[in-house]
Amino acid sequence: MDTFALVVTIGVALFFTYTNGFHDSANAIATSVSTRALTPRAALAMAAVMNLAGAFLGSGVAETVSKGLIETPHGSNGMAILFAGLSGAIVWNLITWYFGLPSSSSHALFGGLVGAALAGGIAVIWTGVIEKIVLPMFISPIVGMVLGYAVMVAIFWIFRRANPHRAKRGFRIAQTVSAAGMALGHGLQDAQKTMGVVVMALTIADVQEGNGIPLWVKFVCAGMLSLGTYAGGWRIMRTLGRRIIELDPPQGFAGETTAASVMYTASFIFDAPISTTHVITSAIMGVGATKRVSAVRWGVAKNIVMGWFITMPAAAAVAGLCYGIILLVFG
C-alpha cells in the first residue's frame, strides 16, 4: 500500500508538471509568437528543449520547496497531504487555463501544499513561506515592471537614429535568443519545484534520506515539463501576447530579457521559487507603459493581478477539501 501510494503521488506530481508546462508555455513564447518572430510550433519546440536544459542548471529552488515551506510529513498521512496539495494545484491550473487567465502554477502548488498541511495538522514554516514565497510574489512583479520600463527606454535611446524597419527585423531575430533565455529560466524555476515535491514523497516513503535530487527525478520532471510545454497553452498565449498590449519586436525582446534576468537572479542568488507568470506579465506592462500609459489595457491587467492574489488561497482551499475527501474515503 505504501509503495502504491508513493507511485500514485509521484504520478500526480508529474501530471502537475505537465499542466504547469502547457499552462506556462505562454510565458516563454507568447511575445515571440505575437510579434511573429517565431511560428507557434517552432516556438513551442524551442521552449520545450530549453525547459529540459534549464531543469539541470541548479537545485536551490527544489531544496526550498522540499524543506523550506512545510515540515516533512510522515507515513500514509504525509503521502495523503502531498497528494491533496498537488490535487489543489492541478484543479486551479485547469480552471485558470480554461478561462485563459495567466495565474501562477507555482503559487498554486505552494497554496496547495500549505492548505493540505494545515488540513492534515502538519506545521507550516511561515518564515519560509513569507520570505521565499510571499515577499518575492510582491517584489518580483514590481522589479519586472520597473526593469522592463528601463530596458525599453534604453532601447529607444540606443536605437533612436536607426532605421525603424531594419531595427524591427534585427529585434525579431534577437527575440529568438531572448525567448530561449526565458524558456531556460522557466525550466530552471518550474521543473525544480516538482523535483522538490517528488523528493519529499521519496523521503516520506523512506526511499531516500536527505534532500539530494536523484538523476532520474531530474530527467522525469524535466521531460514532463517539456511535454506539457510542447502541448501549448493557446488561451493564455493570446492574453499575454495580444490582450495586455499589442507588442512589436523591440518590446517583445525587452520584456523577455527583463523576465529572464529576474528569474536567473531569483534562482541562483536567492533560491527563491518565483512565478514566471508574474514576472513576464509585469515586464510586458512596464515595456508597454513606455509607449504611453493608456497603451496598456489596464482592465485586463487588473483581472490578471486579481488572479495572482486569489491563487494561493483558492488552491489551498481545494487542497484542504481534497484532504477531507481522502480521509472520508480511506479513513
Side-chain angles (χ1 to χ4, degrees):
M1 182 63 182
D2 289 342
T3 302
F4 176 76
L6 174 63
V7 171
V8 170
T9 302
I10 291 176
V12 173
L14 294 179
F15 180 67
F16 165 78
T17 307
Y18 182 83
T19 66
N20 189 344
F22 75 68
H23 191 278
D24 287 2
S25 59
N27 297 343
I29 63 173
T31 53
S32 298
V33 172
S34 68
T35 61
R36 296 179 175 83
L38 294 168
T39 63
R41 283 299 168 194
L44 284 169
M46 179 273 295
V49 172
M50 297 306 287
N51 274 339
L52 187 67
F56 292 90
L57 290 183
S59 60
V61 171
E63 290 177 5
T64 296
V65 173
S66 64
K67 65 181 181 180
L69 304 181
I70 65 174
E71 294 290 346
T72 303
H74 299 285
S76 58
N77 182 58
M79 207 64 75
I81 288 172
L82 279 191
F83 181 89
L86 289 163
S87 298
I90 290 170
V91 169
W92 187 249
N93 269 359
L94 294 176
I95 290 171
T96 51
W97 166 80
Y98 180 80
F99 288 104
L101 182 65
S103 68
S104 169
S105 295
S106 304
H107 290 137
L109 175 61
F110 305 145
L113 290 175
V114 170
L118 291 173
I122 295 298
V124 176
I125 306 173
W126 290 110
T127 54
V129 172
I130 292 171
E131 291 175 5
K132 296 292 187 180
I133 308 300
V134 177
L135 287 179
M137 181 174 74
F138 288 100
I139 294 172
S140 59
I142 294 172
V143 172
M145 185 176 292
V146 172
L147 192 58
Y149 185 93
V151 169
M152 196 65 229
V153 168
I155 288 174
F156 280 144
W157 188 83
I158 293 169
F159 293 92
R160 64 190 183 281
R161 294 189 178 90
N163 179 286
H165 296 292
R166 186 176 298 172
K168 283 189 176 181
R169 282 199 301 270
F171 275 107
R172 192 168 278 120
I173 296 171
Q175 265 199 279
T176 305
V177 178
S178 61
M182 179 73 194
L184 191 73
H186 181 235
L188 173 64
Q189 275 280 332
D190 285 23
Q192 284 193 50
K193 292 161 189 170
T194 308
M195 291 178 198
V197 175
V198 173
V199 166
M200 196 182 297
L202 294 173
T203 303
I204 292 170
D206 293 325
V207 174
Q208 76 167 49
E209 295 181 3
N211 292 292
I213 305 171
L215 191 61
W216 70 267
V217 173
K218 291 185 178 183
F219 271 110
V220 173
C221 291
M224 288 301 291
L225 185 69
S226 293
L227 286 174
T229 297
Y230 192 71
W234 306 108
R235 294 172 185 266
I236 296 170
M237 202 178 297
R238 283 194 294 270
T239 299
L240 282 177
R242 294 292 185 188
R243 290 181 61 202
I244 296 176
I245 184 174
E246 296 287 338
L247 293 169
D248 60 21
Q251 290 173 324
F253 173 82
E256 289 168 341
T257 302
T258 297
S261 300
V262 174
M263 284 192 293
Y264 294 143
T265 301
S267 300
F268 291 124
I269 297 178
F270 299 106
D271 292 337
I274 64 170
S275 167
T276 56
T277 306
H278 290 192
V279 173
I280 186 61
T281 305
S282 60
I284 289 172
M285 291 178 190
V287 165
T290 59
K291 201 173 192 178
R292 62 183 186 279
V293 175
S294 61
V296 179
R297 298 185 180 101
W298 295 106
V300 176
K302 181 189 73 175
N303 292 336
I304 292 171
V305 172
M306 286 177 61
W308 294 354
F309 283 100
I310 66 174
T311 290
M312 283 188 70
V318 175
L321 180 62
C322 289
Y323 181 79
I325 294 172
I326 292 171
L327 283 187
L328 192 64
V329 174
F330 296 102

